[in-house]
Amino acid sequence: MQKSNVDIRSLQIGFGGLKVLENLDLHVGASEFLVLLGPSGCGKSTLLNAIAGLIEVKGGEIHIGGRDVTWAEPKDRGIAMVFQSYALYPRMSVRRNMSFGLKVARTPQSEIERRVAEAAQMLRLTNLLERRPSELSGGQRQRVAIGRALVRHAGVYLFDEPLSNLDAQLRAELRVEIKRLHARLGATMIYVTHDQIEALTLADRIAVMQGGVIQQLDTPKKIYREPVNRFVASFVGSPAMNFIPGKLARGSEVAFIAGVNQLSLTGYAFRSQPTEAPAVLGIRPEHIELTASNDPSSVSARVEMVEPMGADTLIWCRLADGTAFSLRHDADTQVRVGDTLTVRFPADAMSLFDETSGQRL
Amino acid sequence: MTAVAQTLPAARRSKRMTPARWGLYAFIFITALYFLLPLYVMVVTSLKPMAEIRQGNLLALPIAPSIDAWVKAWTSACTGLTCQGIKVGFLNSLRILVPSVAISILVGSLTGYALSLWRVRGANILFGAMMVVAFIPYQVFIYPLVRVFSFTGLGQSLFTIVIIHTIFGLPTMTLLFRNYFASLPVELFKAARVDGAGFYQIYARIMMPMATPMIVVAVILQTTGIWNDFILGLVFAGRDNLPMTVQLNNIVNSTQGERAYNVDMAATLLTALLPLAVYFGSGRWFVRGIAAGAVKG
Amino acid sequence: MRLSLNSRLSAISALLPALLVMLVVYIGATSWTVWISLTSSRMLPNNNFVGLRQYQILLGNDRWITSVHNIVIYGVLFVSLALLIGFLLAVAIDQRIRAEDTIRSIYLYPYSMSFVVTGLVWQWLLNPTLGIQHVLRSWGFEGATFDWIVRPETAIYCLVVAGVWQASGLVMAIMLAGLRGVDEEIWKAARVDGLPKWRVYVSIIIPMMGASFATAAVLLSTGVVRLYDLSVAMTNGGPGIASEVPAKFVMDHLFERANIGLATAAATTMLITVVAVVAPYLYWRTRKGEVR
């Protein structure tokens, strides 16, 4: 099975006067699992449909496996696609659904049977081959849809929110299955989702999109730890990152002033020379540490609400100046509403953003 | 990747006008002509004097357009013995139409309401039976109905034809309103019951005001249906109340001597005028009416 | 929910008209019609039971045989042509064409007009002296003949032309609703699979539209059995009895030829035909309703 890379160069897409994508560049390596993540309307599905050839582009080029396929028909692009609504042909059996495209392409019968059997075995569909889509559960239907893509032996597999119509448990199961499939086939996969858990668990790299622009293209770890702007920071992570408004101050050392509290920034990797300006401090709930009250860099906060979440507990606190934040703690924490906690914000886990531009400092 | 693969069709930038697309538009154009031709011929024929019709081409535009035929069709065309034009039929049709539409919608909506929201024993059987009989041709009922009406002394009259339209409109109207009321959130009905509203109060104060879209659809459906009726009007309306369709047929098909095609076409257009106005005036509502009326059961 | 006596009575009172119509008109009148067909009634109904005599007479009646023959020709051609044309029109409109609303209005407007109007217009168009034949000849096609309407063996096809013209728009509307209900992603999947468009329609879309086809076919078929106005207005059953249809046979024998025994036998035959078509359809619809 060949593994194609995908190269997108200054792609432009618009409907009428509306520009959806403008000058978008993206390179996906062979065998890479790339996730396009973003809220609805960010252009991620549009981009995927453009790669598939289902939307006409206004400008730019799309190369798949080294070939310029910008104006090629979908079937000639060496792609396969899995859809959110499964898009199974309702009046055909599972076997026919999987083999129909090959049959139309005049693939030899023995080859068709071999590929269908192989895909069915891989997806545990062998016993369901003679059923109609209406006789299958949601999870089975989506496995059939994946099977229909697999038999094409494509260079790139495209997934358009494939798990969005499933309930939480099935979603987790199929997520694992897709990851296993990628590990086994080593195929190039481009996967669109608005679910950040899916993105973080599946991707080699994530492209976070908003407003038709790729905000950040990085490994899941980098995206999570070092978001490049406030949008990425707030979109990825659950429970959400805390944002504390304040300003930067340069004394003997660089510090963040939030109301009456001063937080040390020693150890924070600034991207450029810090200046004294209003800024927003972002920190994830699990990175805030409880500490002893005599720690000089600590601040004290009052507990307003305690949310047990099973594996751990989310504690909602408020600083003396009114700033609210949440922190993650053990499941068996003894903290009660009304307690006063002493907490520390480790500088190496922080993200600082410019207040106006929202860019990482 | 080999060099051969590099030369994939990178052309075909615009897919706007492919040969298939030309074929599509040609098909649409030709079919549109087939559908428009009769209307066009009706209009041009009605505007030509007879001499021009006899000598000229059916499709030609009138050389000396005149509305004489329209005036004649309206005021003095002969239906058998009387020569008062089709306006008599127009007025008759109106007198039949207004009460028939109103009463059939009233009865149909009430029946649909009772069948959808109130659990009356046997409601489903009644509804199912109504759907079955909606398909039966009138010829099966006509003779006994004529006898029943003459026995009750109503005979053929305006009153009779209104009742007849109500009867034969009942299945469709019931279906329309039953389905609509069944699609409303049942909590609304429950809340009204908790508030102490009775059967007719809920119908008049809550359900019917909400059913405005369905009422519009029902009016469209019944107006075109009743206006276009021929057989029921012929049998039940009586000599003095014959609807426009019947009179039109009499004007055209029972003339002695040479036929005045221009008058015929003017009369035909006049008869089609109201349903056409309803159709073009109501736009998508008409389609909605078809959809609602079409999905029997 | 248990209803109070009061509202129960109100509900029953509201259903009274429907109940009355069901019992008196539909069941009562139908039974009476069937009964008359088993008697020797001529001008007035009598109760002289003669078994299936009227049906025997009916089967030997030329006019009836012609009527049945005609309605079969009309029915098969009308239903299949209207389905075919209506479907093609819907497919054409579904291709994201320009001026979609206008085109749709043009296809559908004939359906708003009565059969009488339809019949009279086509009678005029098909008139051999001044109609389409005349136009063709004036364009130089000297030998062109299009005189179906005055020839006994072809008159019924004229009714088909007019009927299809009137009803194709209805089929188009039903089919278009069905086509618009097809999931956009099915189309995308088919494109990725590399299926040509016609193949998608034939192999995927048409099998999916079973319900639309069934609805349209049943609607058209019930129209076939009722066919009366069109025949009256367009040919009045002529030339001779060449375009007679069963509904007209019933009406003529009821009101002009004063042979109600024979008329009701014909009407009962129509009833049985309709039930044979509609009953399986309704059964299928309810079965489907229960499954979902």
Side-chain angles (χ1 to χ4, degrees), chain B residues 74-239:
Chain B
W74 182 250
T75 57
S76 63
C78 298
T79 61
L81 297 174
T82 53
C83 292
Q84 294 178 304
I86 201 155
K87 69 168 190 292
V88 184
F90 181 82
L91 292 175
N92 286 344
S93 274
L94 267 189
R95 283 193 298 152
I96 295 170
L97 184 74
V98 175
S100 300
V101 169
I103 295 174
S104 65
I105 291 178
L106 183 75
V107 178
S109 62
L110 196 59
T111 312
Y113 162 71
L115 286 178
S116 61
L117 294 172
W118 296 79
R119 297 202 184 153
V120 186
R121 202 180 307 169
N124 281 335
I125 297 173
L126 182 63
F127 182 68
M130 286 173 85
M131 289 310 101
V132 175
V133 298
F135 289 101
I136 299 177
Y138 298 145
Q139 280 76 15
V140 176
F141 318 117
I142 272 188
Y143 185 74
L145 284 179
V146 170
R147 299 285 301 185
V148 168
F149 278 103
S150 76
F151 177 76
T152 55
L154 290 166
Q156 299 173 313
S157 64
L158 194 62
F159 189 71
T160 307
I161 184 70
V162 170
I163 292 178
I164 288 289
H165 278 309
T166 306
I167 289 172
F168 289 117
L170 189 58
T172 314
M173 289 300 106
T174 302
L175 171 79
L176 209 65
F177 283 97
R178 191 195 93 118
N179 287 357
Y180 183 73
F181 289 136
S183 75
L184 294 178
V186 72
E187 284 76 18
L188 199 79
F189 172 69
K190 286 183 179 163
R193 299 260 339 256
V194 172
D195 283 345
F199 180 90
Y200 286 102
Q201 272 177 313
I202 298 177
Y203 168 77
R205 300 263 171 82
I206 297 165
M207 291 301 157
M208 284 313 266
M210 287 190 64
T212 323
M214 270 308 113
I215 296 174
V216 173
V217 168
V219 168
I220 292 171
L221 219 55
Q222 286 296 83
T223 304
T224 49
I226 292 170
W227 191 270
N228 288 341
D229 158 68
F230 176 79
I231 187 169
L232 297 177
L234 179 67
V235 175
F236 292 101
R239 199 166 287 277

Side-chain angles (χ1 to χ4, degrees), chain C residues 189-237:
Chain C
R191 278 192 71 190
V192 171
D193 267 353
L195 310 182
K197 218 159 193 184
W198 65 268
R199 190 74 194 254
V200 182
Y201 276 111
V202 172
S203 298
I204 298 167
I205 304 295
I206 291 180
M208 281 175 76
M209 302 236 312
S212 298
F213 273 98
T215 304
V218 168
L219 230 53
L220 294 173
S221 308
T222 52
V224 169
V225 185
R226 287 183 175 172
L227 182 69
Y228 172 71
D229 321 14
L230 193 61
S231 168
V232 169
M234 202 165 162
T235 58
N236 202 19

